[in-house]
Amino acid sequence: MKVSSSANDLANATTLSVQSTKSTTTHNPLSGSASQVIPDLICFSHLRWNFVYQRPQHLLSRASKNYRVWFLEEPMWSDSLHMSVSKQTDRLTVLVPHLPHGTDPEEAIRLQRQLLDEFIARETIRSFVAWYYTPMAMLFSDHLEPSLTVYDCMDELSAFWGAPPQLLQKEKQLMQQADVVFTGGYSLYEAKQSRHPHVFAFPSSIDFAHFSSARKPQPDPVDQRSIATPRIGFSGVIDERFDYKLMGELAERRPDWQFVLLGPIVKIDPKLLPHQPNVHYLGMKAYKDLPMYFSNWDVAILPFALNESTRFISPTKTPEYLAAGLPVVSTPIRDVIRTYGSKELVEIANNAETFELAIERMMTKESSNWQAVDSFLKENSWDHTWSEMNRLMVAQLSVVVDQ
């Protein structure tokens, strides 16, 4: 991880002390004389809170210990204009703008801005962190004056199918406004580090206690119970990043293996996916239930295609599989190779033949160096990641004051 020297002076800080107002001319979040704690964090997300439980949920549930977190999702169509409010905890609330059917794109931006402003006024939010996952939110939020702006870049969204044409321009604008930029992996860090003076890499972390429970016998979930063994499993979003051709070839080569796929199917034609009898699509599962599924697998896989949408990914599932006690076989994703390729519990394979051989080796392996892997995983917890992020946020505010 890259940490600036200014961050070291504030290693024990846990909250952000800043002014309640921000200069509109110098972008200085500490203008004025009296300091106070920033009480709120508004997150602008392209992902739904109740979608797959991943980086945003892990980080912002922990951020709610320091701030009141308001998680603003993308809009939904409705019969009336309103902002729905759903409290997840006392300190974390999900907001969804509802726009009237038939609203044109320009009006949709204006209405989202209106709903956002009304919400901020209603909650009397004056000093807050603006935390962005989607640069497209700049379309309706660039008039705000947050005390600190954070861009947590978890994916290269412009490389995804159907990405809006103005996304790159909006990301450029967000990078100019951001006080600090976090990236979801080292490849993303390398791609962004020259574009901002304060970029820090925070690859996928792990809730070790949650997933390590899979190492003990767990009841086989009902929808998996009738599936024969051995079981090779995948958990994640099945979209344009999923190598369906590789999956189909594997299923053809080894009809005696059962491939269990957990997760929603989005942005890909289901007809393209393999449908052999030994390929089982069980749909999206609750985060709390994943250890039960993992506990009853033999090997876990990361069958990602090698394309623009996977060039910068750092799969969250890699450490989750390992914490669950599962050996892993992955296609040659750069961040998987860099972080786990030297670990004997992760093998890299680039086609169906080498994938098959690697899975076979993993299933027949008698002993593995779990102790070394566990030590690595425990040092890369989501708790530690959030603590480091918050420390860097505090440090960045200190840099502004010193200047």
Side-chain angles (χ1 to χ4, degrees):
M1 179 192 308
K2 306 285 185 179
V3 180
S4 63
S5 59
S6 60
N8 297 328
D9 299 331
L10 290 159
N12 297 320
T14 58
T15 57
L16 302 179
S17 296
V18 299
Q19 284 305 311
S20 60
T21 58
K22 173 183 173 182
S23 168
T24 59
T25 56
T26 64
H27 188 58
N28 183 346
L30 297 173
S31 58
S33 57
S35 293
Q36 69 177 42
V37 171
I38 296 180
D40 294 286
L41 184 153
I42 302 175
C43 173
F44 300 92
S45 177
H46 61 296
L47 299 172
R48 303 286 178 194
W49 183 262
N50 290 320
F51 190 54
V52 175
Y53 201 94
Q54 51 190 306
R55 184 183 182 92
Q57 290 87 341
H58 279 296
L59 290 175
L60 294 172
S61 61
R62 288 162 174 79
S64 67
K65 297 175 183 177
N66 302 93
Y67 315 95
R68 286 192 308 173
V69 174
W70 309 93
F71 188 87
L72 182 64
E73 297 183 351
E74 291 188 333
M76 298 179 65
W77 299 115
S78 182
D79 293 331
S80 63
L81 177 66
H82 66 280
M83 180 85 82
S84 66
V85 177
S86 175
K87 289 186 73 67
Q88 304 300 305
T89 69
D90 288 342
R91 304 268 297 168
L92 195 152
T93 302
V94 173
L95 308 170
V96 183
H98 289 253
L99 308 182
H101 293 288
T103 303
D104 65 52
E106 286 193 14
E107 181 69 359
I109 293 170
R110 188 190 71 79
L111 292 177
Q112 287 179 84
R113 186 185 300 254
Q114 174 186 321
L115 289 174
L116 176 59
D117 289 345
E118 290 173 352
F119 151 72
I120 290 175
R122 184 168 61 251
E123 295 294 333
T124 323
I125 296 174
R126 295 188 177 88
S127 179
F128 65 97
V129 176
W131 182 289
Y132 287 85
Y133 280 110
T134 171
M136 294 303 294
M138 292 295 289
L139 286 168
F140 60 87
S141 67
D142 61 357
H143 65 295
L144 299 178
E145 295 183 357
S147 301
L148 186 79
T149 298
V150 176
Y151 178 25
D152 187 21
C153 181
M154 62 180 286
D155 286 304
E156 189 64 82
L157 295 178
S158 62
F160 281 41
W161 291 352
Q166 67 269 55
L167 194 149
L168 286 176
Q169 190 273 327
K170 288 291 117 182
E171 184 182 60
K172 181 179 179 180
Q173 182 183 356
L174 176 56
M175 294 283 281
Q176 291 172 343
Q177 177 174 312
D179 297 290
V180 63
V181 176
F182 301 134
T183 67
Y186 293 110
S187 296
L188 268 176
Y189 168 79
E190 291 170 349
K192 306 296 182 185
Q193 63 176 327
S194 64
R195 299 176 55 192
H196 195 280
H198 306 292
V199 182
F200 304 92
F202 285 98
S204 298
S205 303
I206 179 66
D207 183 348
F208 186 83
H210 179 67
F211 285 99
S212 63
S213 65
R215 298 186 182 187
K216 298 178 181 178
Q218 297 268 357
D220 209 357
V222 174
D223 60 348
Q224 184 174 260
R225 201 168 295 166
S226 62
I227 299 174
T229 58
R231 296 173 183 162
I232 292 86
F234 168 80
S235 176
V237 181
I238 300 171
D239 57 14
E240 73 263 37
R241 296 169 295 178
F242 186 81
D243 193 337
Y244 59 86
K245 292 182 180 178
L246 170 64
M247 190 75 261
E249 288 180 37
L250 279 172
E252 289 286 350
R253 295 176 71 93
R254 297 305 299 254
D256 55 322
W257 292 351
Q258 304 302 311
F259 295 90
V260 180
L261 309 180
L262 308 183
I265 299 172
V266 299
K267 295 196 301 180
I268 189 172
D269 185 350
K271 294 178 182 178
L272 295 174
L273 300 175
H275 292 284
Q276 289 96 326
N278 60 332
V279 180
H280 310 272
Y281 299 92
L282 303 188
M284 189 165 71
K285 304 302 173 186
Y287 178 73
K288 65 180 178 62
D289 294 331
L290 292 178
M292 287 194 297
Y293 287 90
F294 292 4
S295 180
N296 293 283
W297 293 355
D298 297 282
V299 176
I301 56 174
L302 294 168
F304 287 111
L306 300 181
N307 55 37
E308 282 302 305
S309 65
T310 61
R311 182 180 173 190
F312 300 104
I313 64 171
S314 177
T316 305
K317 285 296 175 281
T318 316
E320 292 177 355
Y321 290 155
L322 292 174
L326 287 166
V328 181
V329 180
S330 173
T331 49
I333 298 300
R334 288 175 61 195
D335 277 14
V336 174
I337 295 172
R338 178 178 305 189
T339 308
Y340 302 98
S342 62
K343 310 279 189 298
E344 64 180 62
L345 291 170
V346 177
E347 287 212 18
I348 306 299
N350 58 9
N351 57 45
E353 181 181 1
T354 56
F355 226 94
E356 177 191 359
L357 293 172
I359 293 172
E360 202 163 44
R361 280 194 298 273
M362 289 300 193
M363 286 196 293
T364 57
K365 208 169 195 176
E366 292 186 1
S367 62
S368 298
N369 188 14
W370 284 104
Q371 185 175 356
V373 173
D374 287 356
S375 296
F376 173 81
L377 293 175
K378 289 175 182 177
E379 291 172 0
N380 290 274
S381 68
W382 285 113
D383 288 336
H384 177 73
T385 294
W386 166 249
S387 177
E388 286 295 293
M389 284 180 164
N390 198 43
R391 182 172 67 87
L392 289 166
M393 290 156 67
V394 174
Q396 182 54 34
L397 288 167
S398 177
V399 169
V400 174
V401 171
D402 291 342
Q403 292 174 345

